[in-house]
Amino acid sequence: MLTYQETKEKAEKRRELTERIKVIIVERLNLDMDPNLITDDQPLFGRGLGLDSIDALELFVVIEDEFGVTIYDDNMEVFGSVNKLADYILENIEE
Amino acid sequence: MTVMNADEIRKLLPHRWPFLLLDRVIELKPGVSGVGIKNVTISEPFFEGHFPNESIMPGVLIVEALAQMTAVVYCTGALQTMREAEQEAAATAEAQAVESTEEVDISSRVGYLVAIRDMKFMKPVAPGDQLLLKVKIGRSLGILSKVNVAAYVGKECVVEGTLSVSQRP
């Protein structure tokens, strides 16, 4: 069981990560929008944020550069939403 | 130092005059990187209009030249992979079943340009300049790949940036 303090810290860290991801997406892909307008579970591709496969390549490169985490062809669902991306980064990041 | 001359390039790429912008390949690691040469002369058709009073090679055509060099690296890489697969198949005595490399029209494998990013044009390129076209294939995701490209005149970098290219699906 986590203490209240630990849970709070964990949540805080997670929020920082999702915010950083949103800023990266907006800056790197030159999106004309406020990063805070992206919600954590909003689909990034297609009907959601409207990204495409060319953006995916860009995102893949920047995630690897920023976090040292590689996304492979067979786990493309990682790009589903900011939350899924954050989960994947937390799972695979080298401490 | 010639790895591939103009005739060999024409066998590999579908591009023809006035749009073949690669004269010679001088370094080549198939599928990885390469260096090519484009000699720029006053006889190029685009100097007629770009510009009547000041001959400058259009920056987008330098990008095209870099993309053609990328196509050479890509195609030779694909060809090598195919040959290896063929040899493997031959070793297992199934040679007949596999398409021979000679019969494959490799130019049909040339992919498409899908993105041009952060391209910088540092210096105008004029007749008499020799463009050194350096390309290096970077990371790939699915059928898309990043390519770091740079063009030099002498030791001076004139164009630098990143392309994204797609394999033909």
Side-chain angles (χ1 to χ4, degrees):
Chain A
M1 276 291 279
L2 294 172
T3 65
Y4 171 70
Q5 194 60 31
E6 281 169 343
T7 313
K8 201 180 154 192
E9 270 173 26
K10 219 177 159 192
E12 189 64 28
K13 247 186 158 175
R14 166 93 188 188
R15 207 176 52 80
E16 268 173 29
L17 177 64
T18 54
E19 273 174 15
R20 197 168 147 210
I21 291 171
K22 289 174 195 173
V23 170
I24 286 172
I25 291 174
V26 168
E27 280 184 357
R28 186 67 171 238
L29 303 180
N30 289 321
L31 302 183
D32 188 17
M33 69 183 296
D34 183 346
N36 297 318
L37 292 179
I38 303 174
T39 55
D40 291 350
D41 287 313
Q42 181 180 2
L44 296 180
F45 292 89
R47 70 203 147 80
L49 204 55
L51 302 188
D52 55 36
S53 58
I54 301 173
D55 296 321
L57 175 66
E58 204 58 45
L59 217 49
F60 154 80
V61 169
V62 71
I63 297 289
E64 200 170 89
D65 288 345
E66 292 271 330
F67 302 100
V69 171
T70 308
I71 296 159
Y72 297 96
D73 292 1
D74 51 3
N75 50 18
M76 290 282 282
E77 64 272 19
V78 170
F79 286 129
S81 66
V82 170
N83 258 338
K84 283 184 185 155
L85 211 49
D87 287 342
Y88 186 79
I89 290 168
L90 287 175
E91 269 171 40
N92 292 280
I93 204 160
E94 283 178 32
E95 292 293 333
Chain B
M1 231 182 23
T2 308
V3 176
M4 215 182 256
N5 63 27
D7 295 322
E8 288 163 329
I9 292 169
R10 273 200 300 194
K11 276 183 202 146
L12 194 67
L13 299 184
H15 308 73
R16 292 296 177 267
W17 186 89
F19 225 71
L20 181 57
L21 298 170
L22 186 59
D23 294 336
R24 182 180 289 175
V25 176
I26 57 170
E27 272 174 47
L28 186 63
K29 278 189 197 157
V32 181
S33 65
V35 182
I37 287 175
K38 161 70 187 158
N39 287 310
V40 183
T41 79
I42 189 63
S43 304
E44 310 282 356
F46 47 78
F47 285 131
E48 185 77 13
H50 198 276
F51 298 95
N53 296 320
E54 191 187 9
S55 302
I56 295 176
M57 181 171 182
V60 289
L61 290 184
I62 305 175
V63 175
E64 173 60 28
L66 288 160
Q68 290 178 11
M69 186 58 220
T70 305
V72 168
V73 174
Y74 232 92
C75 282
T76 49
L79 207 59
Q80 202 175 49
T81 317
M82 262 156 51
R83 286 219 177 99
E84 278 163 16
E86 212 171 273
Q87 274 163 7
E88 218 166 277
T92 52
E94 289 169 22
Q96 265 79 19
V98 182
E99 213 177 354
S100 161
T101 315
E102 263 59 57
E103 286 164 28
V104 178
D105 178 14
I106 194 68
S107 67
S108 68
R109 302 274 174 134
V110 173
Y112 299 107
L113 185 59
V114 295
I116 300 175
R117 287 185 76 94
D118 310 320
M119 207 52 86
K120 279 200 267 182
F121 301 93
M122 268 80 92
K123 203 173 167 269
V125 172
D129 285 343
Q130 182 177 63
L131 282 172
L132 214 56
L133 308 160
K134 300 186 179 183
V135 311
K136 193 167 178 286
I137 311 258
R139 282 169 281 188
S140 309
L141 183 70
I143 59 165
L144 300 180
S145 299
K146 284 244 153 198
V147 190
N148 294 318
V149 298
Y152 287 78
V153 173
K155 286 201 158 73
E156 208 166 359
C157 184
V158 292
V159 178
E160 189 182 31
T162 313
L163 304 177
S164 297
V165 294
S166 152
Q167 275 167 37
R168 204 169 268 236

PDB file of all heavy atoms in Angstrom, chain A residues 55-75:
ATOM      1  N   ASP A  55       3.354  12.335 -38.941  1.00  0.00           N
ATOM      2  CA  ASP A  55       3.532  12.882 -37.598  1.00  0.00           C
ATOM      3  C   ASP A  55       3.999  11.791 -36.629  1.00  0.00           C
ATOM      4  O   ASP A  55       4.780  12.053 -35.720  1.00  0.00           O
ATOM      5  CB  ASP A  55       2.218  13.482 -37.089  1.00  0.00           C
ATOM      6  CG  ASP A  55       1.753  14.671 -37.928  1.00  0.00           C
ATOM      7  OD1 ASP A  55       2.617  15.464 -38.336  1.00  0.00           O
ATOM      8  OD2 ASP A  55       0.547  14.800 -38.167  1.00  0.00           O
ATOM      9  N   ALA A  56       3.508  10.563 -36.852  1.00  0.00           N
ATOM     10  CA  ALA A  56       3.888   9.448 -35.978  1.00  0.00           C
ATOM     11  C   ALA A  56       5.395   9.221 -36.032  1.00  0.00           C
ATOM     12  O   ALA A  56       6.041   8.996 -35.008  1.00  0.00           O
ATOM     13  CB  ALA A  56       3.149   8.174 -36.381  1.00  0.00           C
ATOM     14  N   LEU A  57       5.961   9.311 -37.242  1.00  0.00           N
ATOM     15  CA  LEU A  57       7.406   9.132 -37.409  1.00  0.00           C
ATOM     16  C   LEU A  57       8.152  10.211 -36.620  1.00  0.00           C
ATOM     17  O   LEU A  57       9.125   9.940 -35.919  1.00  0.00           O
ATOM     18  CB  LEU A  57       7.774   9.211 -38.894  1.00  0.00           C
ATOM     19  CG  LEU A  57       9.259   9.172 -39.247  1.00  0.00           C
ATOM     20  CD1 LEU A  57       9.867   7.823 -38.895  1.00  0.00           C
ATOM     21  CD2 LEU A  57       9.483   9.459 -40.719  1.00  0.00           C
ATOM     22  N   GLU A  58       7.658  11.433 -36.713  1.00  0.00           N
ATOM     23  CA  GLU A  58       8.272  12.553 -36.017  1.00  0.00           C
ATOM     24  C   GLU A  58       8.208  12.344 -34.494  1.00  0.00           C
ATOM     25  O   GLU A  58       9.171  12.556 -33.774  1.00  0.00           O
ATOM     26  CB  GLU A  58       7.496  13.827 -36.402  1.00  0.00           C
ATOM     27  CG  GLU A  58       8.261  15.097 -36.280  1.00  0.00           C
ATOM     28  CD  GLU A  58       9.521  15.117 -37.108  1.00  0.00           C
ATOM     29  OE1 GLU A  58       9.488  14.711 -38.271  1.00  0.00           O
ATOM     30  OE2 GLU A  58      10.553  15.544 -36.563  1.00  0.00           O
ATOM     31  N   LEU A  59       7.043  11.902 -34.044  1.00  0.00           N
ATOM     32  CA  LEU A  59       6.800  11.682 -32.618  1.00  0.00           C
ATOM     33  C   LEU A  59       7.681  10.551 -32.090  1.00  0.00           C
ATOM     34  O   LEU A  59       8.255  10.635 -31.007  1.00  0.00           O
ATOM     35  CB  LEU A  59       5.323  11.323 -32.447  1.00  0.00           C
ATOM     36  CG  LEU A  59       4.605  11.849 -31.210  1.00  0.00           C
ATOM     37  CD1 LEU A  59       4.840  13.320 -31.001  1.00  0.00           C
ATOM     38  CD2 LEU A  59       3.109  11.566 -31.337  1.00  0.00           C
ATOM     39  N   PHE A  60       7.792   9.525 -32.887  1.00  0.00           N
ATOM     40  CA  PHE A  60       8.628   8.362 -32.558  1.00  0.00           C
ATOM     41  C   PHE A  60      10.086   8.792 -32.340  1.00  0.00           C
ATOM     42  O   PHE A  60      10.731   8.391 -31.369  1.00  0.00           O
ATOM     43  CB  PHE A  60       8.468   7.359 -33.701  1.00  0.00           C
ATOM     44  CG  PHE A  60       9.613   6.416 -33.922  1.00  0.00           C
ATOM     45  CD1 PHE A  60       9.762   5.292 -33.133  1.00  0.00           C
ATOM     46  CD2 PHE A  60      10.522   6.636 -34.951  1.00  0.00           C
ATOM     47  CE1 PHE A  60      10.796   4.408 -33.362  1.00  0.00           C
ATOM     48  CE2 PHE A  60      11.562   5.758 -35.187  1.00  0.00           C
ATOM     49  CZ  PHE A  60      11.700   4.644 -34.384  1.00  0.00           C
ATOM     50  N   VAL A  61      10.561   9.671 -33.232  1.00  0.00           N
ATOM     51  CA  VAL A  61      11.940  10.152 -33.127  1.00  0.00           C
ATOM     52  C   VAL A  61      12.116  11.019 -31.874  1.00  0.00           C
ATOM     53  O   VAL A  61      13.064  10.856 -31.112  1.00  0.00           O
ATOM     54  CB  VAL A  61      12.347  10.951 -34.394  1.00  0.00           C
ATOM     55  CG1 VAL A  61      13.662  11.667 -34.175  1.00  0.00           C
ATOM     56  CG2 VAL A  61      12.438  10.040 -35.600  1.00  0.00           C
ATOM     57  N   VAL A  62      11.149  11.905 -31.628  1.00  0.00           N
ATOM     58  CA  VAL A  62      11.298  12.827 -30.506  1.00  0.00           C
ATOM     59  C   VAL A  62      11.147  12.104 -29.162  1.00  0.00           C
ATOM     60  O   VAL A  62      11.836  12.429 -28.196  1.00  0.00           O
ATOM     61  CB  VAL A  62      10.344  14.048 -30.640  1.00  0.00           C
ATOM     62  CG1 VAL A  62       8.907  13.692 -30.416  1.00  0.00           C
ATOM     63  CG2 VAL A  62      10.764  15.166 -29.712  1.00  0.00           C
ATOM     64  N   ILE A  63      10.288  11.082 -29.103  1.00  0.00           N
ATOM     65  CA  ILE A  63      10.127  10.308 -27.861  1.00  0.00           C
ATOM     66  C   ILE A  63      11.441   9.579 -27.543  1.00  0.00           C
ATOM     67  O   ILE A  63      11.903   9.546 -26.414  1.00  0.00           O
ATOM     68  CB  ILE A  63       8.965   9.277 -27.975  1.00  0.00           C
ATOM     69  CG1 ILE A  63       7.624   9.976 -28.182  1.00  0.00           C
ATOM     70  CG2 ILE A  63       8.910   8.348 -26.771  1.00  0.00           C
ATOM     71  CD1 ILE A  63       7.054  10.722 -27.026  1.00  0.00           C
ATOM     72  N   GLU A  64      12.062   9.051 -28.599  1.00  0.00           N
ATOM     73  CA  GLU A  64      13.331   8.349 -28.402  1.00  0.00           C
ATOM     74  C   GLU A  64      14.418   9.324 -27.944  1.00  0.00           C
ATOM     75  O   GLU A  64      15.201   9.014 -27.040  1.00  0.00           O
ATOM     76  CB  GLU A  64      13.738   7.653 -29.703  1.00  0.00           C
ATOM     77  CG  GLU A  64      14.726   6.538 -29.492  1.00  0.00           C
ATOM     78  CD  GLU A  64      14.926   5.707 -30.739  1.00  0.00           C
ATOM     79  OE1 GLU A  64      15.803   6.036 -31.555  1.00  0.00           O
ATOM     80  OE2 GLU A  64      14.195   4.718 -30.890  1.00  0.00           O
ATOM     81  N   ASP A  65      14.433  10.519 -28.545  1.00  0.00           N
ATOM     82  CA  ASP A  65      15.445  11.513 -28.171  1.00  0.00           C
ATOM     83  C   ASP A  65      15.230  12.035 -26.751  1.00  0.00           C
ATOM     84  O   ASP A  65      16.176  12.186 -25.981  1.00  0.00           O
ATOM     85  CB  ASP A  65      15.406  12.704 -29.143  1.00  0.00           C
ATOM     86  CG  ASP A  65      15.973  12.337 -30.506  1.00  0.00           C
ATOM     87  OD1 ASP A  65      16.633  11.284 -30.594  1.00  0.00           O
ATOM     88  OD2 ASP A  65      15.749  13.087 -31.465  1.00  0.00           O
ATOM     89  N   GLU A  66      13.974  12.311 -26.408  1.00  0.00           N
ATOM     90  CA  GLU A  66      13.689  12.950 -25.126  1.00  0.00           C
ATOM     91  C   GLU A  66      13.724  11.963 -23.956  1.00  0.00           C
ATOM     92  O   GLU A  66      14.187  12.296 -22.874  1.00  0.00           O
ATOM     93  CB  GLU A  66      12.304  13.602 -25.163  1.00  0.00           C
ATOM     94  CG  GLU A  66      12.207  14.786 -26.096  1.00  0.00           C
ATOM     95  CD  GLU A  66      12.577  16.094 -25.404  1.00  0.00           C
ATOM     96  OE1 GLU A  66      12.356  16.199 -24.189  1.00  0.00           O
ATOM     97  OE2 GLU A  66      13.072  16.994 -26.099  1.00  0.00           O
ATOM     98  N   PHE A  67      13.192  10.759 -24.173  1.00  0.00           N
ATOM     99  CA  PHE A  67      13.049   9.827 -23.052  1.00  0.00           C
ATOM    100  C   PHE A  67      13.923   8.582 -23.175  1.00  0.00           C
ATOM    101  O   PHE A  67      13.992   7.783 -22.249  1.00  0.00           O
ATOM    102  CB  PHE A  67      11.581   9.389 -22.920  1.00  0.00           C
ATOM    103  CG  PHE A  67      10.621  10.533 -22.725  1.00  0.00           C
ATOM    104  CD1 PHE A  67       9.879  11.025 -23.780  1.00  0.00           C
ATOM    105  CD2 PHE A  67      10.478  11.125 -21.473  1.00  0.00           C
ATOM    106  CE1 PHE A  67       9.000  12.082 -23.605  1.00  0.00           C
ATOM    107  CE2 PHE A  67       9.601  12.177 -21.288  1.00  0.00           C
ATOM    108  CZ  PHE A  67       8.865  12.667 -22.354  1.00  0.00           C
ATOM    109  N   GLY A  68      14.563   8.406 -24.329  1.00  0.00           N
ATOM    110  CA  GLY A  68      15.371   7.206 -24.544  1.00  0.00           C
ATOM    111  C   GLY A  68      14.518   5.955 -24.627  1.00  0.00           C
ATOM    112  O   GLY A  68      14.966   4.853 -24.344  1.00  0.00           O
ATOM    113  N   VAL A  69      13.253   6.135 -25.015  1.00  0.00           N
ATOM    114  CA  VAL A  69      12.332   5.002 -25.100  1.00  0.00           C
ATOM    115  C   VAL A  69      11.973   4.771 -26.568  1.00  0.00           C
ATOM    116  O   VAL A  69      11.554   5.691 -27.261  1.00  0.00           O
ATOM    117  CB  VAL A  69      11.047   5.289 -24.288  1.00  0.00           C
ATOM    118  CG1 VAL A  69      10.001   4.218 -24.538  1.00  0.00           C
ATOM    119  CG2 VAL A  69      11.379   5.383 -22.806  1.00  0.00           C
ATOM    120  N   THR A  70      12.171   3.532 -27.034  1.00  0.00           N
ATOM    121  CA  THR A  70      11.889   3.231 -28.432  1.00  0.00           C
ATOM    122  C   THR A  70      10.513   2.583 -28.590  1.00  0.00           C
ATOM    123  O   THR A  70      10.152   1.701 -27.822  1.00  0.00           O
ATOM    124  CB  THR A  70      12.950   2.264 -28.996  1.00  0.00           C
ATOM    125  OG1 THR A  70      14.231   2.820 -28.714  1.00  0.00           O
ATOM    126  CG2 THR A  70      12.799   2.093 -30.494  1.00  0.00           C
ATOM    127  N   ILE A  71       9.779   3.066 -29.579  1.00  0.00           N
ATOM    128  CA  ILE A  71       8.478   2.481 -29.900  1.00  0.00           C
ATOM    129  C   ILE A  71       8.669   1.649 -31.156  1.00  0.00           C
ATOM    130  O   ILE A  71       9.338   2.080 -32.089  1.00  0.00           O
ATOM    131  CB  ILE A  71       7.435   3.597 -30.122  1.00  0.00           C
ATOM    132  CG1 ILE A  71       7.253   4.365 -28.814  1.00  0.00           C
ATOM    133  CG2 ILE A  71       6.110   3.025 -30.609  1.00  0.00           C
ATOM    134  CD1 ILE A  71       6.668   5.741 -28.984  1.00  0.00           C
ATOM    135  N   TYR A  72       8.119   0.437 -31.174  1.00  0.00           N
ATOM    136  CA  TYR A  72       8.305  -0.433 -32.333  1.00  0.00           C
ATOM    137  C   TYR A  72       7.038  -0.507 -33.172  1.00  0.00           C
ATOM    138  O   TYR A  72       5.960  -0.161 -32.710  1.00  0.00           O
ATOM    139  CB  TYR A  72       8.743  -1.822 -31.872  1.00  0.00           C
ATOM    140  CG  TYR A  72      10.076  -1.775 -31.176  1.00  0.00           C
ATOM    141  CD1 TYR A  72      10.152  -1.698 -29.785  1.00  0.00           C
ATOM    142  CD2 TYR A  72      11.256  -1.741 -31.911  1.00  0.00           C
ATOM    143  CE1 TYR A  72      11.377  -1.615 -29.137  1.00  0.00           C
ATOM    144  CE2 TYR A  72      12.489  -1.650 -31.282  1.00  0.00           C
ATOM    145  CZ  TYR A  72      12.545  -1.599 -29.892  1.00  0.00           C
ATOM    146  OH  TYR A  72      13.752  -1.501 -29.269  1.00  0.00           O
ATOM    147  N   ASP A  73       7.246  -0.986 -34.401  1.00  0.00           N
ATOM    148  CA  ASP A  73       6.129  -1.098 -35.351  1.00  0.00           C
ATOM    149  C   ASP A  73       4.933  -1.841 -34.770  1.00  0.00           C
ATOM    150  O   ASP A  73       3.793  -1.538 -35.052  1.00  0.00           O
ATOM    151  CB  ASP A  73       6.571  -1.864 -36.604  1.00  0.00           C
ATOM    152  CG  ASP A  73       7.579  -1.071 -37.408  1.00  0.00           C
ATOM    153  OD1 ASP A  73       7.927   0.034 -36.967  1.00  0.00           O
ATOM    154  OD2 ASP A  73       8.008  -1.558 -38.456  1.00  0.00           O
ATOM    155  N   ASP A  74       5.243  -2.867 -33.948  1.00  0.00           N
ATOM    156  CA  ASP A  74       4.142  -3.716 -33.477  1.00  0.00           C
ATOM    157  C   ASP A  74       3.468  -3.205 -32.196  1.00  0.00           C
ATOM    158  O   ASP A  74       2.542  -3.828 -31.691  1.00  0.00           O
ATOM    159  CB  ASP A  74       4.617  -5.174 -33.311  1.00  0.00           C
ATOM    160  CG  ASP A  74       5.896  -5.253 -32.485  1.00  0.00           C
ATOM    161  OD1 ASP A  74       6.347  -4.195 -32.018  1.00  0.00           O
ATOM    162  OD2 ASP A  74       6.437  -6.361 -32.342  1.00  0.00           O
ATOM    163  N   ASN A  75       3.955  -2.078 -31.651  1.00  0.00           N
ATOM    164  CA  ASN A  75       3.170  -1.517 -30.552  1.00  0.00           C
ATOM    165  C   ASN A  75       2.773  -0.067 -30.822  1.00  0.00           C
ATOM    166  O   ASN A  75       2.919   0.821 -29.997  1.00  0.00           O
ATOM    167  CB  ASN A  75       3.860  -1.660 -29.186  1.00  0.00           C
ATOM    168  CG  ASN A  75       5.300  -1.171 -29.222  1.00  0.00           C
ATOM    169  OD1 ASN A  75       5.682  -0.438 -30.131  1.00  0.00           O
ATOM    170  ND2 ASN A  75       6.080  -1.550 -28.244  1.00  0.00           N
TER     171      ASN A  75
END
